Amino acid sequence: MKSLATAAAFAAIAAAALPMAAQAQDLGTTTFYGSAGYSHADLDDAKLGAITGRVGARFGQYLGVEGEAGFGVKDDEVNIPAIGASPVDVELKHTFAIYGVGFLPVAPNADLYARVGYGTSKIKASVAGPAGGSATADGESWNYGVGGQYFLDDKNGVRADYTRYDFTDGGGDADVWSVGYVRKF
């Protein structure tokens, strides 16, 4: 509940700043970008990895929207005492999300940004052995975070960010760190 209140407060601040930012910029200048990178997700008991792709549109200097898709490439084994000696293999199947993005240019080729959005994730857990089996779970989440990007030239750059996933169904939360290549179109 506390994390939902934090996300709501962050969204309220962003909504209050939106009209001021819209007046301060020319919304007619739209640029598009895409990025590809690696994301490390730290869940309560498991550490998972994903290849993440993003596409976005930036309206002027300060506002944007981006979509994100991630597909698991690194699983983790966790031991759950209630299951016994068999470890549980935890695998991220996919994540999808959409974000509103606020940019703060700090240099001609560098930006800081904040993102707020909503997403869905699918995780599979498997137990080997005679009592084995598997189950999948889908989770909806409010996501929010901060990051930065630096462009090496007019089109190519790098970005790094932190995003918190607060799952709405009592599924806990995840801290996700991402780094990647970004290209303007």
Side-chain angles (χ1 to χ4, degrees), residues 40-48 164 173-177:
H40 171 81
D42 187 1
L43 286 80
D44 291 334
D45 295 320
K47 313 278 189 267
L48 305 175
R164 174 76 166 210
D173 51 53
D175 295 311
V176 180
W177 298 92

PDB file of all heavy atoms in Angstrom, residues 40-48 164 173-177:
ATOM      1  N   HIS A  40      18.235  -6.400 -15.386  1.00  0.00           N
ATOM      2  CA  HIS A  40      18.397  -7.306 -14.250  1.00  0.00           C
ATOM      3  C   HIS A  40      17.262  -7.048 -13.276  1.00  0.00           C
ATOM      4  O   HIS A  40      17.107  -5.936 -12.773  1.00  0.00           O
ATOM      5  CB  HIS A  40      19.743  -7.074 -13.556  1.00  0.00           C
ATOM      6  CG  HIS A  40      19.874  -7.827 -12.271  1.00  0.00           C
ATOM      7  ND1 HIS A  40      20.218  -9.150 -12.233  1.00  0.00           N
ATOM      8  CD2 HIS A  40      19.673  -7.438 -10.990  1.00  0.00           C
ATOM      9  CE1 HIS A  40      20.244  -9.552 -10.970  1.00  0.00           C
ATOM     10  NE2 HIS A  40      19.914  -8.521 -10.197  1.00  0.00           N
ATOM     11  N   ALA A  41      16.437  -8.065 -13.019  1.00  0.00           N
ATOM     12  CA  ALA A  41      15.290  -7.942 -12.115  1.00  0.00           C
ATOM     13  C   ALA A  41      15.599  -8.639 -10.802  1.00  0.00           C
ATOM     14  O   ALA A  41      15.951  -9.816 -10.783  1.00  0.00           O
ATOM     15  CB  ALA A  41      14.051  -8.553 -12.757  1.00  0.00           C
ATOM     16  N   ASP A  42      15.469  -7.899  -9.723  1.00  0.00           N
ATOM     17  CA  ASP A  42      15.699  -8.422  -8.380  1.00  0.00           C
ATOM     18  C   ASP A  42      14.344  -8.553  -7.691  1.00  0.00           C
ATOM     19  O   ASP A  42      13.779  -7.565  -7.217  1.00  0.00           O
ATOM     20  CB  ASP A  42      16.626  -7.466  -7.623  1.00  0.00           C
ATOM     21  CG  ASP A  42      17.064  -8.008  -6.281  1.00  0.00           C
ATOM     22  OD1 ASP A  42      16.669  -9.136  -5.923  1.00  0.00           O
ATOM     23  OD2 ASP A  42      17.800  -7.292  -5.580  1.00  0.00           O
ATOM     24  N   LEU A  43      13.809  -9.781  -7.689  1.00  0.00           N
ATOM     25  CA  LEU A  43      12.556 -10.045  -7.004  1.00  0.00           C
ATOM     26  C   LEU A  43      12.873 -10.415  -5.561  1.00  0.00           C
ATOM     27  O   LEU A  43      14.042 -10.446  -5.181  1.00  0.00           O
ATOM     28  CB  LEU A  43      11.796 -11.184  -7.698  1.00  0.00           C
ATOM     29  CG  LEU A  43      11.142 -10.806  -9.021  1.00  0.00           C
ATOM     30  CD1 LEU A  43      12.153 -10.800 -10.135  1.00  0.00           C
ATOM     31  CD2 LEU A  43      10.012 -11.740  -9.332  1.00  0.00           C
ATOM     32  N   ASP A  44      11.877 -10.750  -4.766  1.00  0.00           N
ATOM     33  CA  ASP A  44      12.120 -11.068  -3.366  1.00  0.00           C
ATOM     34  C   ASP A  44      13.138 -12.191  -3.197  1.00  0.00           C
ATOM     35  O   ASP A  44      14.065 -12.066  -2.423  1.00  0.00           O
ATOM     36  CB  ASP A  44      10.806 -11.440  -2.675  1.00  0.00           C
ATOM     37  CG  ASP A  44       9.877 -10.237  -2.542  1.00  0.00           C
ATOM     38  OD1 ASP A  44      10.392  -9.105  -2.504  1.00  0.00           O
ATOM     39  OD2 ASP A  44       8.659 -10.436  -2.487  1.00  0.00           O
ATOM     40  N   ASP A  45      12.969 -13.299  -3.924  1.00  0.00           N
ATOM     41  CA  ASP A  45      13.855 -14.446  -3.771  1.00  0.00           C
ATOM     42  C   ASP A  45      14.665 -14.777  -5.005  1.00  0.00           C
ATOM     43  O   ASP A  45      15.573 -15.592  -4.937  1.00  0.00           O
ATOM     44  CB  ASP A  45      13.033 -15.695  -3.383  1.00  0.00           C
ATOM     45  CG  ASP A  45      12.379 -15.559  -2.025  1.00  0.00           C
ATOM     46  OD1 ASP A  45      13.041 -15.024  -1.121  1.00  0.00           O
ATOM     47  OD2 ASP A  45      11.210 -15.966  -1.876  1.00  0.00           O
ATOM     48  N   ALA A  46      14.336 -14.216  -6.140  1.00  0.00           N
ATOM     49  CA  ALA A  46      14.980 -14.603  -7.393  1.00  0.00           C
ATOM     50  C   ALA A  46      15.621 -13.407  -8.084  1.00  0.00           C
ATOM     51  O   ALA A  46      15.154 -12.282  -7.976  1.00  0.00           O
ATOM     52  CB  ALA A  46      13.950 -15.241  -8.332  1.00  0.00           C
ATOM     53  N   LYS A  47      16.694 -13.690  -8.786  1.00  0.00           N
ATOM     54  CA  LYS A  47      17.402 -12.698  -9.604  1.00  0.00           C
ATOM     55  C   LYS A  47      17.280 -13.163 -11.057  1.00  0.00           C
ATOM     56  O   LYS A  47      17.804 -14.209 -11.415  1.00  0.00           O
ATOM     57  CB  LYS A  47      18.877 -12.623  -9.223  1.00  0.00           C
ATOM     58  CG  LYS A  47      19.135 -12.542  -7.732  1.00  0.00           C
ATOM     59  CD  LYS A  47      18.977 -11.149  -7.211  1.00  0.00           C
ATOM     60  CE  LYS A  47      19.440 -11.035  -5.774  1.00  0.00           C
ATOM     61  NZ  LYS A  47      18.412 -11.213  -4.778  1.00  0.00           N
ATOM     62  N   LEU A  48      16.577 -12.369 -11.886  1.00  0.00           N
ATOM     63  CA  LEU A  48      16.304 -12.762 -13.258  1.00  0.00           C
ATOM     64  C   LEU A  48      16.875 -11.735 -14.232  1.00  0.00           C
ATOM     65  O   LEU A  48      17.082 -10.584 -13.873  1.00  0.00           O
ATOM     66  CB  LEU A  48      14.788 -12.879 -13.471  1.00  0.00           C
ATOM     67  CG  LEU A  48      14.054 -13.811 -12.506  1.00  0.00           C
ATOM     68  CD1 LEU A  48      12.559 -13.749 -12.747  1.00  0.00           C
ATOM     69  CD2 LEU A  48      14.565 -15.233 -12.633  1.00  0.00           C
ATOM     70  N   ARG A 164      11.013   0.517 -10.600  1.00  0.00           N
ATOM     71  CA  ARG A 164      10.379  -0.274  -9.546  1.00  0.00           C
ATOM     72  C   ARG A 164       9.047  -0.789 -10.078  1.00  0.00           C
ATOM     73  O   ARG A 164       8.242  -0.014 -10.593  1.00  0.00           O
ATOM     74  CB  ARG A 164      10.159   0.608  -8.327  1.00  0.00           C
ATOM     75  CG  ARG A 164       9.395  -0.011  -7.204  1.00  0.00           C
ATOM     76  CD  ARG A 164      10.275  -0.981  -6.449  1.00  0.00           C
ATOM     77  NE  ARG A 164       9.656  -1.317  -5.192  1.00  0.00           N
ATOM     78  CZ  ARG A 164      10.321  -1.625  -4.131  1.00  0.00           C
ATOM     79  NH1 ARG A 164      11.635  -1.634  -4.152  1.00  0.00           N
ATOM     80  NH2 ARG A 164       9.713  -1.963  -3.037  1.00  0.00           N
ATOM     81  N   ASP A 173       7.071  -6.898  -5.186  1.00  0.00           N
ATOM     82  CA  ASP A 173       7.648  -5.882  -6.050  1.00  0.00           C
ATOM     83  C   ASP A 173       8.945  -6.408  -6.649  1.00  0.00           C
ATOM     84  O   ASP A 173       9.440  -7.460  -6.270  1.00  0.00           O
ATOM     85  CB  ASP A 173       7.900  -4.589  -5.275  1.00  0.00           C
ATOM     86  CG  ASP A 173       8.676  -4.823  -3.996  1.00  0.00           C
ATOM     87  OD1 ASP A 173       9.753  -5.442  -4.047  1.00  0.00           O
ATOM     88  OD2 ASP A 173       8.212  -4.385  -2.930  1.00  0.00           O
ATOM     89  N   ALA A 174       9.468  -5.655  -7.597  1.00  0.00           N
ATOM     90  CA  ALA A 174      10.739  -6.006  -8.240  1.00  0.00           C
ATOM     91  C   ALA A 174      11.513  -4.722  -8.500  1.00  0.00           C
ATOM     92  O   ALA A 174      10.934  -3.701  -8.856  1.00  0.00           O
ATOM     93  CB  ALA A 174      10.499  -6.750  -9.544  1.00  0.00           C
ATOM     94  N   ASP A 175      12.812  -4.787  -8.284  1.00  0.00           N
ATOM     95  CA  ASP A 175      13.717  -3.696  -8.626  1.00  0.00           C
ATOM     96  C   ASP A 175      14.434  -4.093  -9.908  1.00  0.00           C
ATOM     97  O   ASP A 175      15.084  -5.138  -9.958  1.00  0.00           O
ATOM     98  CB  ASP A 175      14.739  -3.467  -7.512  1.00  0.00           C
ATOM     99  CG  ASP A 175      14.071  -3.003  -6.228  1.00  0.00           C
ATOM    100  OD1 ASP A 175      13.256  -2.074  -6.299  1.00  0.00           O
ATOM    101  OD2 ASP A 175      14.363  -3.567  -5.162  1.00  0.00           O
ATOM    102  N   VAL A 176      14.313  -3.261 -10.944  1.00  0.00           N
ATOM    103  CA  VAL A 176      14.857  -3.606 -12.260  1.00  0.00           C
ATOM    104  C   VAL A 176      15.872  -2.545 -12.677  1.00  0.00           C
ATOM    105  O   VAL A 176      15.550  -1.357 -12.747  1.00  0.00           O
ATOM    106  CB  VAL A 176      13.730  -3.722 -13.312  1.00  0.00           C
ATOM    107  CG1 VAL A 176      14.300  -4.085 -14.669  1.00  0.00           C
ATOM    108  CG2 VAL A 176      12.687  -4.741 -12.873  1.00  0.00           C
ATOM    109  N   TRP A 177      17.089  -2.993 -12.942  1.00  0.00           N
ATOM    110  CA  TRP A 177      18.182  -2.132 -13.418  1.00  0.00           C
ATOM    111  C   TRP A 177      18.436  -2.471 -14.872  1.00  0.00           C
ATOM    112  O   TRP A 177      18.580  -3.645 -15.215  1.00  0.00           O
ATOM    113  CB  TRP A 177      19.441  -2.374 -12.599  1.00  0.00           C
ATOM    114  CG  TRP A 177      19.255  -2.030 -11.152  1.00  0.00           C
ATOM    115  CD1 TRP A 177      18.861  -2.868 -10.147  1.00  0.00           C
ATOM    116  CD2 TRP A 177      19.428  -0.752 -10.556  1.00  0.00           C
ATOM    117  NE1 TRP A 177      18.784  -2.182  -8.974  1.00  0.00           N
ATOM    118  CE2 TRP A 177      19.136  -0.878  -9.186  1.00  0.00           C
ATOM    119  CE3 TRP A 177      19.806   0.498 -11.048  1.00  0.00           C
ATOM    120  CZ2 TRP A 177      19.200   0.187  -8.308  1.00  0.00           C
ATOM    121  CZ3 TRP A 177      19.877   1.560 -10.172  1.00  0.00           C
ATOM    122  CH2 TRP A 177      19.579   1.396  -8.817  1.00  0.00           C
TER     123      TRP A 177
END
